[in-house]
Amino acid sequence: MSNTSKPEFNLSDLYRVEDDMDSVVKSVMKLGGCDSMSDLDRSLLKHANKGAIVHVVSELIRVVDRSSKLLKSAACTINALQCDQIASQKRMMQTQEERREENVIAGRENLKSYSDVVKKGLPTNSSSTQQKQKDSVYSATKEEERDRCVVVFGLPEGDGDEDVVNNVGTLLNEAVSPRSIDRKSYSCHRIGKRRSDVARPVRVCFSDRVSANTVLCSKGNLKTSERFKKVFISPDRTPAEREERRKLVLALKDKINIEPHMFHYLKDG
């Protein structure tokens, strides 16, 4: 979890500028003797007191200057957040790769150890050794599989038999546009029992990790989608990782309530 304090931009500044602009607009309408800006024209302002006009223009210049500085500050903040998010995605990909390699190496070592025991004719302690071997291979296989998968939350679920593959295909292509994801390169299915009050998540498994990482790095594009702006894509996490993230989300909400003027977010999305 992180927050951004530099450049100094917060929501309270935005609200103050909005209030100042509203005040200037009301002053202009008062000078023209009208109730809305749509009723205001040049002829009405011709009869206004010049001193009052000078004052309003001065206030308008001040507000425009503050707005300009605020926009620059916001742009810097957004750029910093984007850079941080890209770095976080790279760290996540690197961590996944390192974790997969560790499991593969552990699996190989256990296979080698078991093979050496058999070759030397030593007591194998077969039940525990074989179980350890199976567990290592299973763990490495599941880790490799998770690296190729993502989970989609919030994708509307149809009443009858839905074409989930096509629905996911439309979603993924909008996320990674202008590129596209070959619909033959992944499989997908709903997770859990069907409920009437909420759409079940969709697990999407690709043929390679590159496609999964491409989708994860591009998921922010859905925020601008009218159809999928409420859909969220996440890595295929283990139960322990999901529990850890749940705690982080709760901590994030508390942080936002305590410091509503700051930007707070989870580094790994």
Side-chain angles (χ1 to χ4, degrees):
M1 187 167 59
S2 178
N3 62 65
T4 299
S5 58
K6 292 182 180 180
E8 294 183 357
F9 168 76
N10 54 59
L11 293 178
S12 59
D13 288 336
L14 183 64
Y15 295 146
R16 280 196 294 270
V17 169
E18 183 181 17
D19 290 340
D20 290 345
M21 183 62 74
D22 185 58
S23 177
V24 170
V25 169
K26 289 180 179 178
S27 296
V28 172
M29 290 191 297
K30 184 177 180 180
L31 287 175
C34 54
D35 297 326
S36 68
M37 290 297 291
S38 59
D39 297 331
L40 187 66
D41 58 35
R42 186 177 300 179
S43 62
L44 293 175
L45 291 177
K46 285 182 179 179
H47 305 290
N49 181 276
K50 287 184 173 57
I53 292 178
V54 170
H55 175 73
V56 170
V57 170
S58 298
E59 283 296 303
L60 180 60
I61 292 174
R62 183 181 66 83
V63 173
V64 169
D65 181 62
R66 286 187 59 194
S67 299
S68 176
K69 293 177 180 178
L70 187 65
L71 288 173
K72 291 178 181 178
S73 175
C76 291
T77 299
I78 292 171
N79 183 64
L81 290 172
Q82 288 177 334
C83 291
D84 196 8
Q85 188 69 13
I86 291 172
S88 296
Q89 292 287 357
K90 289 181 178 179
R91 286 195 297 270
M92 180 184 68
M93 292 166 62
Q94 183 178 356
T95 300
Q96 289 177 338
E97 179 65 20
E98 291 173 352
R99 196 168 52 194
R100 187 182 71 85
E101 290 296 329
E102 288 173 357
N103 284 326
V104 170
I105 292 172
R108 288 173 180 170
E109 289 178 348
N110 285 323
L111 286 171
K112 184 176 181 298
S113 299
Y114 184 72
S115 177
D116 289 343
V117 169
V118 172
K119 286 179 181 179
K120 293 177 181 179
L122 300 174
T124 59
N125 216 359
S126 59
S127 60
S128 61
T129 302
Q130 289 180 10
Q131 187 59 48
K132 186 176 181 181
Q133 171 194 348
K134 290 178 181 178
D135 291 344
S136 296
V137 172
Y138 178 79
S139 177
T141 301
K142 294 300 291 183
E143 188 67 35
E144 192 276 334
E145 181 182 317
R146 276 195 297 271
D147 286 345
R148 294 186 290 104
C149 298
V150 300
V151 179
V152 179
F153 296 90
L155 185 66
E157 187 170 1
D159 294 332
D161 294 334
E162 64 169 338
D163 191 349
V164 67
V165 175
N166 280 331
N167 290 342
V168 169
T170 304
L171 165 73
L172 296 180
N173 287 335
E174 187 154 341
V176 300
S177 179
R179 294 167 293 176
S180 62
I181 298 292
D182 185 356
R183 298 194 182 188
K184 296 180 180 180
S185 68
Y186 66 87
S187 60
C188 58
H189 61 275
R190 294 277 181 182
I191 303 173
K193 295 183 179 180
R194 192 182 187 95
R195 293 172 53 181
S196 60
D197 58 332
V198 64
R200 292 172 293 172
V202 180
R203 189 169 189 252
V204 186
C205 294
F206 298 92
S207 57
D208 57 79
R209 290 184 295 112
V210 174
S211 296
N213 286 330
T214 297
V215 171
L216 289 173
C217 291
S218 306
K219 63 182 181 180
N221 295 334
L222 295 178
K223 293 179 181 179
T224 60
S225 168
E226 187 62 33
R227 180 177 178 183
F228 299 117
K229 60 185 177 183
K230 294 184 179 180
V231 175
F232 179 74
I233 303 176
S234 79
D236 187 12
R237 298 184 173 95
T238 64
E241 289 171 337
R242 289 197 295 270
E243 176 60 22
E244 181 63 25
R245 179 176 172 78
R246 186 187 70 81
K247 294 178 180 178
L248 287 174
V249 169
L250 292 176
L252 176 65
K253 291 180 178 178
D254 290 340
K255 195 74 171 175
I256 291 174
N257 290 331
I258 295 171
E259 299 176 339
H261 60 287
M262 302 293 292
F263 284 99
H264 303 279
Y265 61 98
L266 296 179
K267 278 191 174 183
D268 290 335

